[in-house]
Amino acid sequence: MRLKDKVTVITGAGKGIGKETAFLFAKEGAHVIVTDFDASIGESVCEEISQTCATTAFVPLDVRYEEEWIQMCQFVIARFGRMDILVNNAGIAMQDTIEDCSYEQWRKVHEVNLDGVFLGTKHGIRTMKRNRQGSIINLSSIEGNIAEPHLVAYNSSKGGVRLLTKSAALHCAKSGYGIRVNSVHPGYLHTPMHDHFSQKQLKEITDRHPIGYLGQAIDVAYGILYLATEESRFVTGSELVIDGGYTAQ
């Protein structure tokens, strides 16, 4: 087992990439703390994982609020004694151009996608550094590397995650904390975030991927797993792009 007895925290673990990562981590022997702002789906995932005999716990968490991060970290230390891995996965998307995006929409996307990752990374480091080891994986997107005219807030938030990750990785490395910080950049996937797309839209998006099909959440979860293990011990401040060739064009 690649994560045997590692204490792992996953935000937004109620569905999509977060859910698949939670199940994969449990399969690999990790203790999985499932967090989500939606208690019903988070508890459901926790219950499913517990049926596999893996050790799991659910903690409600709205990533926008620092006090909730502090409470969650305190729970992890009280229950498990340490935190080894943090996956900052929670995120939202809105489609609007620079002219159409309201300030309210702009702030909402950034509060979840960027502020939430800032708070998670900050308190993840503070929790992990006492053990002089750890891995933090931040979910960005290919939209943090390239731009789309109708994704102004999403592009900005995910681009912010990309550079926040690098800054935090350098800080941890130069401080001798033994904590690695990396970002993951998925392309378009079959996840609940894209359920509102029409069949025509899905075909158009699929055709942009040289590999010929859209990925699944599990494809990204395997990349996250790599960054969580000691197999990636020499990897920090990096960007793992998982996009079926989308950005290679």
Side-chain angles (χ1 to χ4, degrees):
M1 292 185 174
R2 297 164 72 185
L3 294 177
K4 184 172 175 55
D5 294 329
K6 294 292 185 180
V7 179
T8 66
V9 175
I10 304 170
T11 70
K15 57 187 176 182
I17 294 170
K19 181 178 179 179
E20 290 294 338
T21 302
F23 279 102
L24 183 59
F25 278 19
K27 180 181 177 181
E28 293 293 339
H31 305 301
V32 181
I33 295 90
V34 172
T35 80
D36 203 285
F37 80 99
D38 187 329
S40 62
I41 62 174
E43 289 173 348
S44 176
V45 169
C46 196
E47 176 62 26
E48 288 184 65
I49 292 174
S50 67
Q51 292 174 8
T52 69
C53 298
T55 303
T56 184
F58 172 70
V59 179
L61 175 67
D62 187 326
V63 298
R64 298 173 297 173
Y65 300 117
E66 187 163 23
E67 183 57 38
E68 294 195 21
W69 273 105
I70 293 170
Q71 292 173 358
M72 187 277 294
C73 291
Q74 290 173 341
F75 167 84
V76 173
I77 294 302
R79 174 78 179 271
F80 298 97
R82 68 183 193 282
M83 182 192 297
D84 299 307
I85 299 157
L86 170 63
V87 181
N88 283 310
N89 166 73
I92 61 173
M94 290 185 184
Q95 295 196 40
D96 268 312
T97 68
I98 184 67
E99 288 190 276
D100 298 328
C101 183
S102 69
Y103 184 64
E104 180 182 13
Q105 291 172 311
W106 173 269
R107 285 303 317 145
K108 184 175 182 179
V109 171
H110 282 79
E111 282 174 352
V112 177
N113 292 1
L114 184 54
D115 296 357
V117 173
F118 160 72
L119 291 171
T121 303
K122 172 183 177 179
H123 289 287
I125 291 169
R126 288 183 170 182
T127 304
M128 292 177 181
K129 69 181 183 180
R130 67 188 72 187
N131 297 318
R132 293 298 188 196
Q133 64 175 351
S135 177
I136 297 175
I137 301 108
N138 294 330
L139 268 291
S140 180
S141 166
I142 58 170
E143 300 299 343
N145 300 70
I146 61 174
E148 303 279 1
H150 59 282
L151 291 174
V152 62
Y154 190 74
N155 282 145
S156 174
S157 67
K158 292 300 186 178
V161 169
R162 175 175 171 267
L163 285 181
L164 179 154
T165 297
K166 293 180 184 298
S167 178
L170 292 174
H171 168 70
C172 288
K174 293 181 181 296
S175 299
Y177 289 162
I179 301 169
R180 297 179 295 105
V181 191
N182 294 286
S183 58
V184 175
H185 299 251
Y188 288 90
L189 308 171
H190 284 295
T191 69
M193 189 178 285
H194 300 133
D195 283 347
H196 65 283
F197 286 179
S198 67
Q199 289 301 311
K200 181 180 178 182
Q201 287 175 311
L202 281 174
K203 184 181 185 306
E204 290 174 348
I205 291 170
T206 301
D207 289 344
R208 299 181 199 172
H209 294 72
I211 204 166
Y213 55 87
L214 294 186
Q216 304 286 338
I218 189 64
D219 298 319
V220 180
Y222 277 118
I224 295 170
L225 174 63
Y226 164 69
L227 292 173
T229 69
E230 285 302 304
E231 297 160 20
S232 59
R233 65 179 187 172
F234 196 55
V235 182
T236 196
S238 73
E239 306 163 32
L240 178 54
V241 177
I242 306 173
D243 71 350
Y246 191 106
T247 58
Q249 302 174 93

